[in-house]
Amino acid sequence: MATPALPARLNQAQPYALGLFRAVVGLLFLCHGAASLFGVLGGAMGGGTIPAGTWPGWYAAVIQLVGGALVMLGLGTRSAAFVASGSMAYAYFKVHQPESLFPLQNGGEASAMFCWAFLLLVFTGPGALALDRLFAPRGTARPAEQPEERATAAA
């Protein structure tokens, strides 16, 4: 049975869409860290920087800057995304959730979205156009076939 044309084309583009998703999420995360550490893009909380060594804000900003850069470039993506996801889960439950349960009420939308976006990247990997691919062993650079593709090929 033939696969409809649109789903087949979307499946072919999936690694590139995932790579673009990774790069954009990493860039946005990096911008949060740069704002907090260097006062650019409006600075931390409306202006200024976070004093060095301040717990947990300064450490979170370093994770945002470094983790965002690594994820954006696709270098050590799964590990960087795991640390970034954990830092955003901490931010949500320690800073936002005590104010109210729901992100819309407690101002934790960005923390929740970053947490889940990075967790997705932990499981999916970097997608296409990632520096991880340059350092992968020869046989592992190509993504594994989907189970339905193997079943179709066997038929």
Side-chain angles (χ1 to χ4, degrees), residues 10 15 27 81 85 92 98 107 141:
L10 291 174
L27 175 64
S85 179
Y92 183 78

Side-chain angles (χ1 to χ4, degrees), residues 1-81:
M1 180 172 229
T3 306
L6 183 59
R9 294 193 73 138
L10 291 174
N11 287 342
Q12 288 177 335
Q14 184 177 1
Y16 299 99
L18 183 58
L20 182 60
F21 173 80
R22 171 194 41 80
V24 169
V25 168
L27 175 64
L28 293 173
F29 204 55
L30 178 150
C31 288
H32 276 275
S36 298
L37 293 173
F38 308 122
V40 297
L41 305 170
M45 296 173 274
T49 61
I50 296 175
T54 305
W55 177 258
W58 185 81
Y59 295 94
V62 170
I63 291 171
Q64 290 168 355
L65 183 72
V66 175
L70 291 172
V71 168
M72 181 181 73
L73 296 171
L75 188 59
T77 303
R78 289 178 190 246
S79 299

